[in-house]
Amino acid sequence: MPPVDDLPTLMSRTALRDRAAFERLYRATCAHLLSVAFRILNNRDRAEEVLQEAFMNVWHNASGYNPVVATPMTWLINIVRNKAIDALRSGKTERGSTLALDDEALAVAGDDALEPQRLLDDSLTKAHIDSCMSTLNASQRQALALAYYRGMVHTDIAEAMNAPLGTAKAWVRRGLDKLKDCLQAAGVTA
Amino acid sequence: MNYLLHERLDRLAREYALGTLSGGARRRFERVLAQSPVAGRAVAAWQERFTVLSASLPPMAPRDAVWHGLEQRLFTPSRKGSGWWRALGGVLAGVLLCTVVLQLQPELIGLERQSEALPASYVGLLVDSENKPAVLASSYRHGRKLTLKLLQPLKVPADRVAQLWALPSDGSAAFPIGVVPASGPATLLLSDSSEKLFFKVSRLAVSLEPAAARAGDKPTQPFVLSGHCVKLW
């Protein structure tokens, strides 16, 4: 994740139509945000389209950003993630007709089952909540990881993990309960 | 708010923030969100929690075209005006040429997998100084991508880039589209839909510039490749 110390300043200057600040905001966050979109869409072209659309919104709606409600990075991730999830769910047919998967997409596809789990583990370690979260079993962790990193809904998760729908839902719920408790206990978020 | 209602709201908020709330339930919750600050705060709190999960994502630098496209879409005044139809007379030869190329080698732009009919799209064929085809550019009409196929390798000096320009039919200034790689196929992200960008464009050209052009830049070097750009229905 990029350094976040001056993002609030860049956000407020972007809201005042400062193009230079907007470009710095883009440069500081684009690599992280593209990664968010790419995990969901698994296609660099489409992820870059989503990133561009997201920053169109950022420019037009920066004045609606409220620093009391969210950090700039959370606000930005949310815009990108929502657009990527919309693109994923609306564009399944278009995805099928995409001509070529690039090398990165193939690399991720080959590592499909493991990658979300690994991303989750690394993030939990970084936030120092890995031991707290270790009381979740492997399925609960995998279900949470597929929902967050891949943008999967419960039916996708059930199918990917070969489990009944109700079970997949319960795994995600349990993962979320635990995440909230662990973050609270560690004082990371309220 | 009573405890049960609060619990239920928080469950919806987290499923919404995570993305697992979908379809009609998602839209209904969005209506609640628009009116309920409590729901908004619950969603924001969950989004903040999920941001922790993004900390391990490996950074992935977007290509320059994303920023250039953004600049173009946001900060370049749109070119509007009449007279686009004058392009038609001038490009008929190009249509014929392109159509011949496509009929002989439809796989060039992947058309054979779609259908017998040509989809609505823009196609440009750039030739070199000896009139030999060099670059085939194509884009679906409502797409935001331009696919480039190099028909011969481009000789680009180490300190230059092959900048692709669009030349409007009304004689107004050329505007930059993107950088053509020296070899291989490429996809350029466009700053707007093909239809909006190329509607009035009758020619494409490539010049060898010292650096990639940005929105508003004009060619500083002579064109080494050029050709007609036409719309196919």
Side-chain angles (χ1 to χ4, degrees):
Chain A
M1 204 148 23
V4 292
D5 44 351
D6 63 345
L7 292 186
T9 312
L10 294 178
M11 278 298 310
S12 55
R13 284 174 52 190
T14 298
L16 296 171
R17 291 283 182 266
D18 178 339
R19 284 193 204 176
F22 178 62
E23 179 164 3
R24 283 178 57 204
L25 181 71
Y26 174 85
R27 303 276 175 216
T29 59
C30 63
H32 185 69
L33 295 173
L34 181 62
S35 195
V36 171
F38 181 74
R39 302 301 130 188
I40 291 170
L41 293 165
N42 202 20
N43 175 306
R44 180 183 259 272
D45 287 346
R46 294 186 70 209
E48 287 187 337
E49 281 173 33
V50 159
L51 183 71
Q52 194 179 74
E53 285 300 320
F55 270 91
M56 295 287 290
N57 273 28
V58 170
W59 176 254
H60 291 303
N61 300 324
S63 56
Y65 165 70
N66 181 352
V68 176
V69 175
T71 62
M73 207 60 208
T74 294
W75 190 72
L76 293 167
I77 288 173
N78 182 40
I79 293 175
V80 170
R81 227 176 142 260
N82 277 342
K83 284 198 179 296
I85 286 174
D86 284 348
L88 177 71
R89 291 176 194 168
S90 72
K92 293 212 163 149
T93 49
E94 189 189 328
R95 193 179 208 190
S97 70
T98 303
L99 290 180
L101 282 172
D102 54 32
D103 292 344
E104 285 160 308
L106 289 172
V108 169
D111 195 17
D112 227 12
L114 292 175
E115 206 220 15
Q117 179 81 65
R118 203 181 59 232
L119 291 170
L120 180 69
D121 289 347
D122 291 351
S123 296
L124 299 180
T125 306
K126 278 195 181 181
H128 306 294
I129 56 169
D130 43 332
S131 60
C132 177
M133 292 286 282
S134 67
T135 58
L136 290 178
N137 67 35
S139 300
Q140 291 162 340
R141 297 159 74 91
Q142 178 72 354
L144 180 60
L146 289 175
Y148 182 72
Y149 297 106
R150 292 275 184 264
M152 285 188 178
V153 292
H154 293 126
T155 47
D156 300 331
I157 296 167
E159 196 181 324
M161 296 182 66
N162 202 11
L165 181 58
T167 308
K169 282 186 181 176
W171 283 337
V172 174
R173 272 205 304 273
R174 179 80 189 107
L176 291 172
D177 285 339
K178 193 70 190 165
L179 179 70
K180 183 178 178 182
D181 290 348
C182 291
L183 287 170
Q184 224 158 8
V188 179
T189 59
Chain B
M1 183 181 298
N2 79 49
Y3 178 77
L4 281 177
L5 193 57
H6 186 81
E7 271 291 298
R8 179 162 162 67
L9 185 68
D10 194 61
R11 289 198 167 199
L12 285 169
R14 70 188 195 179
E15 301 276 350
Y16 174 79
L18 183 61
T20 46
L21 197 66
S22 63
R26 188 169 189 85
R27 285 190 293 277
R28 283 194 298 279
F29 188 72
E30 273 166 355
R31 285 199 290 276
V32 174
L33 258 185
Q35 295 162 3
S36 160
V38 181
R41 280 196 295 275
V43 168
W46 275 102
Q47 285 168 347
E48 211 66 63
R49 291 180 189 112
F50 291 135
T51 295
V52 173
L53 300 187
S54 88
S56 63
L57 288 171
M60 191 173 165
R63 287 170 288 197
D64 289 347
V66 180
W67 173 254
H68 293 318
L70 253 180
E71 271 192 316
Q72 237 162 13
R73 290 175 71 188
L74 286 172
F75 308 131
T76 307
S78 66
R79 297 153 196 277
K80 287 191 177 132
S82 60
W84 57 269
W85 44 267
R86 275 179 291 163
L88 287 177
V91 299
L92 281 178
V95 172
L96 283 173
L97 184 54
C98 288
T99 309
V100 169
V101 170
L102 293 176
Q103 279 175 353
L104 293 176
Q105 291 180 278
E107 72 279 10
L108 281 180
I109 54 173
L111 295 181
E112 83 289 0
R113 269 177 262 179
Q114 311 286 327
S115 76
E116 292 289 314
L118 293 173
S121 52
Y122 286 87
V123 174
L125 180 65
L126 285 80
V127 299
D128 63 17
S129 55
E130 293 166 4
N131 229 18
K132 281 194 295 200
V135 174
L136 182 67
S138 60
S139 177
Y140 288 126
R141 188 172 154 197
H142 297 294
R144 285 181 176 275
K145 278 186 266 183
L146 183 74
T147 305
L148 296 176
K149 174 104 181 173
L150 270 70
L151 306 172
Q152 52 169 291
L154 267 185
K155 293 190 195 75
V156 184
D159 56 343
R160 297 295 174 94
V161 297
Q163 175 69 46
L164 179 65
W165 303 91
L167 283 63
S169 56
D170 61 5
S172 57
F175 57 93
I177 299 295
V179 170
V180 183
S183 64
T187 304
L188 302 182
L189 284 184
L190 298 172
S191 58
D192 206 333
S193 70
S194 249
E195 175 78 352
K196 291 208 178 111
L197 280 178
F198 295 122
F199 191 57
K200 307 201 315 169
V201 168
S202 58
R203 296 185 71 81
L204 297 176
V206 167
S207 64
L208 300 174
E209 299 288 338
R214 299 160 72 111
D217 286 353
K218 303 286 171 275
T220 66
Q221 303 295 320
F223 294 139
V224 292
L225 305 176
S226 71
H228 294 292
C229 173
V230 298
K231 183 175 182 174
L232 296 176
W233 274 269

